[in-house]
Amino acid sequence: MSVLTKLTTAEAKVFLRDPGAPAIVIGIPLALLLVFGLLPGVNEPNPEYGGHSVLATLIAPMAITILLAMLALTLFPTAMGTYREKGLLKRLSASPVSPSLLLAAQLLVNLAAAVVVVVLIAGVGGLALGIPLPGNPGSFLLSLVLGAVALFSVGLLVAALAPTGRAASGIGSALFFPMLALGGVWVPKEKLPVFLQHVADVLPLGGTLNALRATWAGDAPELLQLGAMAVFAVVCSTIAARVFRWE
């Protein structure tokens, strides 16, 4: 068994040992899906959404995007900040085990959690609520992967700068909630002013959400959304690599 596999297994046990993290990661997206799914008419064709249901073209993509954002912007950087605060990263830097392996293990655990919940949302949505699968599956997967990379790159930058777990949580929340407001979560993108519609597509959370919405409805994502996510992924990960400190 490789060192990365052992570290990933250990980090997964730590993640699952804390009942709050799995409950939040799984509970909030599924609760959002089920609560809205029980509203009358939400699963009926809606002309405002191109004849698709609000549940399929807004609520389900929103649940997935919120999941990714919570993992990337709050849970992941908070864990890394806590390890830095407790000196774990410093101790690892003096051992044969590279601290970068711990970083990779943390990323793998969070991405695995994201995959599980995405599958649950699609499965529960399809079986319990009759939500169809994404109409453009190839572009949906591309948008999902690119959105996850962009959001986790922002989270990596937070983890690189935050000296403690509390600081990482505060910075992550300061990014998370404005992105919800400007990204088309609280108010759907098409109901925002024109200028803010472009802002929604440029922000990593909004770009992910709106690209998933389009592909779930069978359309193609906008190039602005894909390009913005790619830029955030490259820029944030590059800066994080330069400023990241293990102690």
Side-chain angles (χ1 to χ4, degrees), residues 199-234:
V199 173
D201 284 332
V202 168
L203 293 174
L205 190 153
T208 303
L209 170 61
N210 295 312
L212 293 180
R213 286 186 57 191
T215 54
W216 209 306
D219 300 323
E222 296 181 13
L223 291 179
L224 176 62
Q225 297 160 355
L226 299 179
M229 289 188 285
V231 169
F232 265 97
V234 172

PDB file of all heavy atoms in Angstrom, residues 199-234:
ATOM      1  N   VAL A 199     -21.530  38.739 -14.326  1.00  0.00           N
ATOM      2  CA  VAL A 199     -20.772  38.463 -13.100  1.00  0.00           C
ATOM      3  C   VAL A 199     -21.041  37.042 -12.624  1.00  0.00           C
ATOM      4  O   VAL A 199     -20.127  36.315 -12.216  1.00  0.00           O
ATOM      5  CB  VAL A 199     -21.148  39.479 -12.001  1.00  0.00           C
ATOM      6  CG1 VAL A 199     -20.506  39.103 -10.664  1.00  0.00           C
ATOM      7  CG2 VAL A 199     -20.723  40.890 -12.403  1.00  0.00           C
ATOM      8  N   ALA A 200     -22.297  36.622 -12.688  1.00  0.00           N
ATOM      9  CA  ALA A 200     -22.659  35.269 -12.268  1.00  0.00           C
ATOM     10  C   ALA A 200     -21.924  34.215 -13.079  1.00  0.00           C
ATOM     11  O   ALA A 200     -21.512  33.182 -12.543  1.00  0.00           O
ATOM     12  CB  ALA A 200     -24.172  35.071 -12.391  1.00  0.00           C
ATOM     13  N   ASP A 201     -21.746  34.463 -14.376  1.00  0.00           N
ATOM     14  CA  ASP A 201     -21.070  33.488 -15.226  1.00  0.00           C
ATOM     15  C   ASP A 201     -19.565  33.474 -15.009  1.00  0.00           C
ATOM     16  O   ASP A 201     -18.895  32.475 -15.290  1.00  0.00           O
ATOM     17  CB  ASP A 201     -21.364  33.785 -16.698  1.00  0.00           C
ATOM     18  CG  ASP A 201     -22.762  33.350 -17.109  1.00  0.00           C
ATOM     19  OD1 ASP A 201     -23.284  32.404 -16.500  1.00  0.00           O
ATOM     20  OD2 ASP A 201     -23.326  33.948 -18.036  1.00  0.00           O
ATOM     21  N   VAL A 202     -19.015  34.587 -14.521  1.00  0.00           N
ATOM     22  CA  VAL A 202     -17.568  34.683 -14.347  1.00  0.00           C
ATOM     23  C   VAL A 202     -17.115  34.085 -13.026  1.00  0.00           C
ATOM     24  O   VAL A 202     -16.053  33.457 -12.949  1.00  0.00           O
ATOM     25  CB  VAL A 202     -17.118  36.161 -14.464  1.00  0.00           C
ATOM     26  CG1 VAL A 202     -15.680  36.333 -13.996  1.00  0.00           C
ATOM     27  CG2 VAL A 202     -17.262  36.639 -15.899  1.00  0.00           C
ATOM     28  N   LEU A 203     -17.898  34.258 -11.968  1.00  0.00           N
ATOM     29  CA  LEU A 203     -17.528  33.696 -10.674  1.00  0.00           C
ATOM     30  C   LEU A 203     -17.511  32.175 -10.745  1.00  0.00           C
ATOM     31  O   LEU A 203     -18.352  31.572 -11.427  1.00  0.00           O
ATOM     32  CB  LEU A 203     -18.521  34.152  -9.605  1.00  0.00           C
ATOM     33  CG  LEU A 203     -18.517  35.649  -9.269  1.00  0.00           C
ATOM     34  CD1 LEU A 203     -19.654  35.971  -8.311  1.00  0.00           C
ATOM     35  CD2 LEU A 203     -17.185  36.061  -8.673  1.00  0.00           C
ATOM     36  N   PRO A 204     -16.566  31.516 -10.052  1.00  0.00           N
ATOM     37  CA  PRO A 204     -16.480  30.049 -10.163  1.00  0.00           C
ATOM     38  C   PRO A 204     -17.732  29.323  -9.700  1.00  0.00           C
ATOM     39  O   PRO A 204     -18.136  28.336 -10.308  1.00  0.00           O
ATOM     40  CB  PRO A 204     -15.254  29.690  -9.300  1.00  0.00           C
ATOM     41  CG  PRO A 204     -14.998  30.886  -8.463  1.00  0.00           C
ATOM     42  CD  PRO A 204     -15.487  32.065  -9.221  1.00  0.00           C
ATOM     43  N   LEU A 205     -18.373  29.811  -8.633  1.00  0.00           N
ATOM     44  CA  LEU A 205     -19.603  29.158  -8.179  1.00  0.00           C
ATOM     45  C   LEU A 205     -20.727  29.384  -9.181  1.00  0.00           C
ATOM     46  O   LEU A 205     -21.437  28.447  -9.560  1.00  0.00           O
ATOM     47  CB  LEU A 205     -19.996  29.679  -6.792  1.00  0.00           C
ATOM     48  CG  LEU A 205     -21.121  28.953  -6.056  1.00  0.00           C
ATOM     49  CD1 LEU A 205     -20.964  29.096  -4.547  1.00  0.00           C
ATOM     50  CD2 LEU A 205     -22.501  29.451  -6.462  1.00  0.00           C
ATOM     51  N   GLY A 206     -20.889  30.620  -9.629  1.00  0.00           N
ATOM     52  CA  GLY A 206     -21.938  30.918 -10.602  1.00  0.00           C
ATOM     53  C   GLY A 206     -21.696  30.265 -11.942  1.00  0.00           C
ATOM     54  O   GLY A 206     -22.631  29.768 -12.582  1.00  0.00           O
ATOM     55  N   GLY A 207     -20.436  30.261 -12.385  1.00  0.00           N
ATOM     56  CA  GLY A 207     -20.126  29.606 -13.651  1.00  0.00           C
ATOM     57  C   GLY A 207     -20.441  28.121 -13.611  1.00  0.00           C
ATOM     58  O   GLY A 207     -20.988  27.556 -14.570  1.00  0.00           O
ATOM     59  N   THR A 208     -20.103  27.487 -12.486  1.00  0.00           N
ATOM     60  CA  THR A 208     -20.416  26.060 -12.329  1.00  0.00           C
ATOM     61  C   THR A 208     -21.918  25.825 -12.348  1.00  0.00           C
ATOM     62  O   THR A 208     -22.420  24.951 -13.069  1.00  0.00           O
ATOM     63  CB  THR A 208     -19.826  25.539 -11.009  1.00  0.00           C
ATOM     64  OG1 THR A 208     -18.419  25.768 -10.979  1.00  0.00           O
ATOM     65  CG2 THR A 208     -20.096  24.049 -10.854  1.00  0.00           C
ATOM     66  N   LEU A 209     -22.634  26.600 -11.541  1.00  0.00           N
ATOM     67  CA  LEU A 209     -24.083  26.436 -11.458  1.00  0.00           C
ATOM     68  C   LEU A 209     -24.752  26.629 -12.817  1.00  0.00           C
ATOM     69  O   LEU A 209     -25.562  25.795 -13.249  1.00  0.00           O
ATOM     70  CB  LEU A 209     -24.662  27.436 -10.458  1.00  0.00           C
ATOM     71  CG  LEU A 209     -26.190  27.571 -10.427  1.00  0.00           C
ATOM     72  CD1 LEU A 209     -26.845  26.252 -10.061  1.00  0.00           C
ATOM     73  CD2 LEU A 209     -26.610  28.677  -9.471  1.00  0.00           C
ATOM     74  N   ASN A 210     -24.432  27.697 -13.499  1.00  0.00           N
ATOM     75  CA  ASN A 210     -25.125  28.013 -14.747  1.00  0.00           C
ATOM     76  C   ASN A 210     -24.714  27.080 -15.887  1.00  0.00           C
ATOM     77  O   ASN A 210     -25.519  26.797 -16.776  1.00  0.00           O
ATOM     78  CB  ASN A 210     -24.876  29.475 -15.113  1.00  0.00           C
ATOM     79  CG  ASN A 210     -25.505  30.414 -14.092  1.00  0.00           C
ATOM     80  OD1 ASN A 210     -26.660  30.261 -13.724  1.00  0.00           O
ATOM     81  ND2 ASN A 210     -24.733  31.376 -13.605  1.00  0.00           N
ATOM     82  N   ALA A 211     -23.484  26.581 -15.856  1.00  0.00           N
ATOM     83  CA  ALA A 211     -23.085  25.581 -16.845  1.00  0.00           C
ATOM     84  C   ALA A 211     -23.808  24.255 -16.602  1.00  0.00           C
ATOM     85  O   ALA A 211     -24.262  23.591 -17.547  1.00  0.00           O
ATOM     86  CB  ALA A 211     -21.567  25.370 -16.796  1.00  0.00           C
ATOM     87  N   LEU A 212     -23.947  23.868 -15.331  1.00  0.00           N
ATOM     88  CA  LEU A 212     -24.684  22.640 -15.012  1.00  0.00           C
ATOM     89  C   LEU A 212     -26.161  22.786 -15.361  1.00  0.00           C
ATOM     90  O   LEU A 212     -26.794  21.831 -15.840  1.00  0.00           O
ATOM     91  CB  LEU A 212     -24.534  22.297 -13.527  1.00  0.00           C
ATOM     92  CG  LEU A 212     -23.137  21.892 -13.040  1.00  0.00           C
ATOM     93  CD1 LEU A 212     -23.154  21.576 -11.556  1.00  0.00           C
ATOM     94  CD2 LEU A 212     -22.599  20.705 -13.827  1.00  0.00           C
ATOM     95  N   ARG A 213     -26.723  23.959 -15.132  1.00  0.00           N
ATOM     96  CA  ARG A 213     -28.117  24.193 -15.489  1.00  0.00           C
ATOM     97  C   ARG A 213     -28.332  24.009 -16.993  1.00  0.00           C
ATOM     98  O   ARG A 213     -29.292  23.355 -17.427  1.00  0.00           O
ATOM     99  CB  ARG A 213     -28.531  25.602 -15.077  1.00  0.00           C
ATOM    100  CG  ARG A 213     -28.748  25.820 -13.593  1.00  0.00           C
ATOM    101  CD  ARG A 213     -29.295  27.219 -13.323  1.00  0.00           C
ATOM    102  NE  ARG A 213     -30.531  27.425 -14.054  1.00  0.00           N
ATOM    103  CZ  ARG A 213     -31.131  28.598 -14.192  1.00  0.00           C
ATOM    104  NH1 ARG A 213     -30.592  29.686 -13.662  1.00  0.00           N
ATOM    105  NH2 ARG A 213     -32.266  28.703 -14.855  1.00  0.00           N
ATOM    106  N   ALA A 214     -27.447  24.600 -17.783  1.00  0.00           N
ATOM    107  CA  ALA A 214     -27.597  24.522 -19.241  1.00  0.00           C
ATOM    108  C   ALA A 214     -27.462  23.087 -19.726  1.00  0.00           C
ATOM    109  O   ALA A 214     -28.268  22.613 -20.543  1.00  0.00           O
ATOM    110  CB  ALA A 214     -26.562  25.422 -19.911  1.00  0.00           C
ATOM    111  N   THR A 215     -26.468  22.372 -19.221  1.00  0.00           N
ATOM    112  CA  THR A 215     -26.229  21.012 -19.711  1.00  0.00           C
ATOM    113  C   THR A 215     -27.289  20.041 -19.210  1.00  0.00           C
ATOM    114  O   THR A 215     -27.599  19.067 -19.883  1.00  0.00           O
ATOM    115  CB  THR A 215     -24.838  20.532 -19.286  1.00  0.00           C
ATOM    116  OG1 THR A 215     -24.687  20.655 -17.857  1.00  0.00           O
ATOM    117  CG2 THR A 215     -23.754  21.369 -19.955  1.00  0.00           C
ATOM    118  N   TRP A 216     -27.857  20.294 -18.020  1.00  0.00           N
ATOM    119  CA  TRP A 216     -28.940  19.428 -17.537  1.00  0.00           C
ATOM    120  C   TRP A 216     -30.165  19.571 -18.441  1.00  0.00           C
ATOM    121  O   TRP A 216     -30.914  18.615 -18.657  1.00  0.00           O
ATOM    122  CB  TRP A 216     -29.313  19.776 -16.098  1.00  0.00           C
ATOM    123  CG  TRP A 216     -29.851  18.590 -15.332  1.00  0.00           C
ATOM    124  CD1 TRP A 216     -30.891  17.786 -15.688  1.00  0.00           C
ATOM    125  CD2 TRP A 216     -29.348  18.055 -14.100  1.00  0.00           C
ATOM    126  NE1 TRP A 216     -31.089  16.786 -14.765  1.00  0.00           N
ATOM    127  CE2 TRP A 216     -30.152  16.928 -13.776  1.00  0.00           C
ATOM    128  CE3 TRP A 216     -28.324  18.418 -13.247  1.00  0.00           C
ATOM    129  CZ2 TRP A 216     -29.945  16.174 -12.614  1.00  0.00           C
ATOM    130  CZ3 TRP A 216     -28.121  17.666 -12.097  1.00  0.00           C
ATOM    131  CH2 TRP A 216     -28.914  16.560 -11.795  1.00  0.00           C
ATOM    132  N   ALA A 217     -30.358  20.768 -18.982  1.00  0.00           N
ATOM    133  CA  ALA A 217     -31.483  21.001 -19.891  1.00  0.00           C
ATOM    134  C   ALA A 217     -31.189  20.524 -21.309  1.00  0.00           C
ATOM    135  O   ALA A 217     -32.050  20.636 -22.190  1.00  0.00           O
ATOM    136  CB  ALA A 217     -31.822  22.485 -19.916  1.00  0.00           C
ATOM    137  N   GLY A 218     -29.981  20.003 -21.544  1.00  0.00           N
ATOM    138  CA  GLY A 218     -29.631  19.496 -22.869  1.00  0.00           C
ATOM    139  C   GLY A 218     -28.916  20.490 -23.744  1.00  0.00           C
ATOM    140  O   GLY A 218     -28.601  20.185 -24.905  1.00  0.00           O
ATOM    141  N   ASP A 219     -28.628  21.686 -23.221  1.00  0.00           N
ATOM    142  CA  ASP A 219     -27.937  22.704 -23.996  1.00  0.00           C
ATOM    143  C   ASP A 219     -26.432  22.623 -23.750  1.00  0.00           C
ATOM    144  O   ASP A 219     -25.955  21.832 -22.935  1.00  0.00           O
ATOM    145  CB  ASP A 219     -28.455  24.097 -23.622  1.00  0.00           C
ATOM    146  CG  ASP A 219     -29.953  24.224 -23.885  1.00  0.00           C
ATOM    147  OD1 ASP A 219     -30.414  23.655 -24.898  1.00  0.00           O
ATOM    148  OD2 ASP A 219     -30.645  24.878 -23.081  1.00  0.00           O
ATOM    149  N   ALA A 220     -25.695  23.479 -24.436  1.00  0.00           N
ATOM    150  CA  ALA A 220     -24.246  23.557 -24.243  1.00  0.00           C
ATOM    151  C   ALA A 220     -23.927  24.700 -23.288  1.00  0.00           C
ATOM    152  O   ALA A 220     -24.620  25.721 -23.285  1.00  0.00           O
ATOM    153  CB  ALA A 220     -23.539  23.794 -25.576  1.00  0.00           C
ATOM    154  N   PRO A 221     -22.899  24.551 -22.455  1.00  0.00           N
ATOM    155  CA  PRO A 221     -22.515  25.657 -21.580  1.00  0.00           C
ATOM    156  C   PRO A 221     -21.924  26.806 -22.396  1.00  0.00           C
ATOM    157  O   PRO A 221     -21.420  26.604 -23.505  1.00  0.00           O
ATOM    158  CB  PRO A 221     -21.454  25.034 -20.667  1.00  0.00           C
ATOM    159  CG  PRO A 221     -20.894  23.908 -21.473  1.00  0.00           C
ATOM    160  CD  PRO A 221     -22.019  23.386 -22.311  1.00  0.00           C
ATOM    161  N   GLU A 222     -22.005  28.008 -21.843  1.00  0.00           N
ATOM    162  CA  GLU A 222     -21.438  29.151 -22.531  1.00  0.00           C
ATOM    163  C   GLU A 222     -19.912  29.140 -22.407  1.00  0.00           C
ATOM    164  O   GLU A 222     -19.354  28.711 -21.394  1.00  0.00           O
ATOM    165  CB  GLU A 222     -21.991  30.444 -21.939  1.00  0.00           C
ATOM    166  CG  GLU A 222     -23.497  30.611 -22.135  1.00  0.00           C
ATOM    167  CD  GLU A 222     -24.009  31.923 -21.566  1.00  0.00           C
ATOM    168  OE1 GLU A 222     -23.166  32.797 -21.257  1.00  0.00           O
ATOM    169  OE2 GLU A 222     -25.236  32.072 -21.430  1.00  0.00           O
ATOM    170  N   LEU A 223     -19.250  29.628 -23.457  1.00  0.00           N
ATOM    171  CA  LEU A 223     -17.790  29.667 -23.434  1.00  0.00           C
ATOM    172  C   LEU A 223     -17.273  30.561 -22.316  1.00  0.00           C
ATOM    173  O   LEU A 223     -16.203  30.302 -21.746  1.00  0.00           O
ATOM    174  CB  LEU A 223     -17.264  30.151 -24.790  1.00  0.00           C
ATOM    175  CG  LEU A 223     -17.465  29.189 -25.969  1.00  0.00           C
ATOM    176  CD1 LEU A 223     -16.925  29.811 -27.256  1.00  0.00           C
ATOM    177  CD2 LEU A 223     -16.780  27.849 -25.706  1.00  0.00           C
ATOM    178  N   LEU A 224     -18.026  31.623 -21.994  1.00  0.00           N
ATOM    179  CA  LEU A 224     -17.618  32.503 -20.900  1.00  0.00           C
ATOM    180  C   LEU A 224     -17.550  31.731 -19.593  1.00  0.00           C
ATOM    181  O   LEU A 224     -16.609  31.915 -18.798  1.00  0.00           O
ATOM    182  CB  LEU A 224     -18.607  33.669 -20.775  1.00  0.00           C
ATOM    183  CG  LEU A 224     -18.372  34.640 -19.606  1.00  0.00           C
ATOM    184  CD1 LEU A 224     -17.011  35.326 -19.742  1.00  0.00           C
ATOM    185  CD2 LEU A 224     -19.493  35.673 -19.529  1.00  0.00           C
ATOM    186  N   GLN A 225     -18.511  30.860 -19.355  1.00  0.00           N
ATOM    187  CA  GLN A 225     -18.523  30.082 -18.120  1.00  0.00           C
ATOM    188  C   GLN A 225     -17.330  29.126 -18.065  1.00  0.00           C
ATOM    189  O   GLN A 225     -16.607  29.080 -17.062  1.00  0.00           O
ATOM    190  CB  GLN A 225     -19.833  29.289 -18.028  1.00  0.00           C
ATOM    191  CG  GLN A 225     -21.076  30.172 -17.956  1.00  0.00           C
ATOM    192  CD  GLN A 225     -22.352  29.443 -18.334  1.00  0.00           C
ATOM    193  OE1 GLN A 225     -22.310  28.283 -18.746  1.00  0.00           O
ATOM    194  NE2 GLN A 225     -23.490  30.118 -18.192  1.00  0.00           N
ATOM    195  N   LEU A 226     -17.109  28.384 -19.133  1.00  0.00           N
ATOM    196  CA  LEU A 226     -15.996  27.431 -19.158  1.00  0.00           C
ATOM    197  C   LEU A 226     -14.661  28.154 -19.078  1.00  0.00           C
ATOM    198  O   LEU A 226     -13.749  27.733 -18.352  1.00  0.00           O
ATOM    199  CB  LEU A 226     -16.061  26.585 -20.435  1.00  0.00           C
ATOM    200  CG  LEU A 226     -17.314  25.723 -20.616  1.00  0.00           C
ATOM    201  CD1 LEU A 226     -17.240  24.964 -21.935  1.00  0.00           C
ATOM    202  CD2 LEU A 226     -17.475  24.744 -19.461  1.00  0.00           C
ATOM    203  N   GLY A 227     -14.531  29.258 -19.823  1.00  0.00           N
ATOM    204  CA  GLY A 227     -13.274  30.003 -19.813  1.00  0.00           C
ATOM    205  C   GLY A 227     -12.982  30.596 -18.445  1.00  0.00           C
ATOM    206  O   GLY A 227     -11.832  30.559 -17.972  1.00  0.00           O
ATOM    207  N   ALA A 228     -14.009  31.140 -17.789  1.00  0.00           N
ATOM    208  CA  ALA A 228     -13.806  31.735 -16.465  1.00  0.00           C
ATOM    209  C   ALA A 228     -13.384  30.676 -15.451  1.00  0.00           C
ATOM    210  O   ALA A 228     -12.489  30.909 -14.623  1.00  0.00           O
ATOM    211  CB  ALA A 228     -15.087  32.431 -16.010  1.00  0.00           C
ATOM    212  N   MET A 229     -14.017  29.495 -15.509  1.00  0.00           N
ATOM    213  CA  MET A 229     -13.636  28.430 -14.585  1.00  0.00           C
ATOM    214  C   MET A 229     -12.196  27.991 -14.824  1.00  0.00           C
ATOM    215  O   MET A 229     -11.439  27.755 -13.875  1.00  0.00           O
ATOM    216  CB  MET A 229     -14.600  27.248 -14.723  1.00  0.00           C
ATOM    217  CG  MET A 229     -15.985  27.526 -14.167  1.00  0.00           C
ATOM    218  SD  MET A 229     -17.057  26.057 -14.117  1.00  0.00           S
ATOM    219  CE  MET A 229     -17.485  25.880 -15.861  1.00  0.00           C
ATOM    220  N   ALA A 230     -11.797  27.896 -16.090  1.00  0.00           N
ATOM    221  CA  ALA A 230     -10.425  27.505 -16.406  1.00  0.00           C
ATOM    222  C   ALA A 230      -9.426  28.547 -15.917  1.00  0.00           C
ATOM    223  O   ALA A 230      -8.370  28.205 -15.367  1.00  0.00           O
ATOM    224  CB  ALA A 230     -10.282  27.298 -17.915  1.00  0.00           C
ATOM    225  N   VAL A 231      -9.753  29.819 -16.086  1.00  0.00           N
ATOM    226  CA  VAL A 231      -8.861  30.893 -15.632  1.00  0.00           C
ATOM    227  C   VAL A 231      -8.714  30.864 -14.117  1.00  0.00           C
ATOM    228  O   VAL A 231      -7.599  30.970 -13.578  1.00  0.00           O
ATOM    229  CB  VAL A 231      -9.386  32.261 -16.111  1.00  0.00           C
ATOM    230  CG1 VAL A 231      -8.627  33.393 -15.418  1.00  0.00           C
ATOM    231  CG2 VAL A 231      -9.244  32.391 -17.622  1.00  0.00           C
ATOM    232  N   PHE A 232      -9.827  30.725 -13.401  1.00  0.00           N
ATOM    233  CA  PHE A 232      -9.752  30.649 -11.945  1.00  0.00           C
ATOM    234  C   PHE A 232      -8.907  29.455 -11.509  1.00  0.00           C
ATOM    235  O   PHE A 232      -8.110  29.555 -10.559  1.00  0.00           O
ATOM    236  CB  PHE A 232     -11.157  30.541 -11.340  1.00  0.00           C
ATOM    237  CG  PHE A 232     -11.734  31.860 -10.913  1.00  0.00           C
ATOM    238  CD1 PHE A 232     -12.596  32.558 -11.749  1.00  0.00           C
ATOM    239  CD2 PHE A 232     -11.413  32.411  -9.687  1.00  0.00           C
ATOM    240  CE1 PHE A 232     -13.134  33.778 -11.363  1.00  0.00           C
ATOM    241  CE2 PHE A 232     -11.938  33.627  -9.285  1.00  0.00           C
ATOM    242  CZ  PHE A 232     -12.802  34.319 -10.134  1.00  0.00           C
ATOM    243  N   ALA A 233      -9.088  28.329 -12.182  1.00  0.00           N
ATOM    244  CA  ALA A 233      -8.328  27.126 -11.813  1.00  0.00           C
ATOM    245  C   ALA A 233      -6.824  27.354 -11.981  1.00  0.00           C
ATOM    246  O   ALA A 233      -6.028  27.034 -11.087  1.00  0.00           O
ATOM    247  CB  ALA A 233      -8.786  25.941 -12.660  1.00  0.00           C
ATOM    248  N   VAL A 234      -6.426  27.921 -13.108  1.00  0.00           N
ATOM    249  CA  VAL A 234      -4.999  28.121 -13.387  1.00  0.00           C
ATOM    250  C   VAL A 234      -4.411  29.201 -12.477  1.00  0.00           C
ATOM    251  O   VAL A 234      -3.360  29.008 -11.853  1.00  0.00           O
ATOM    252  CB  VAL A 234      -4.794  28.489 -14.869  1.00  0.00           C
ATOM    253  CG1 VAL A 234      -3.343  28.894 -15.118  1.00  0.00           C
ATOM    254  CG2 VAL A 234      -5.184  27.322 -15.763  1.00  0.00           C
TER     255      VAL A 234
END
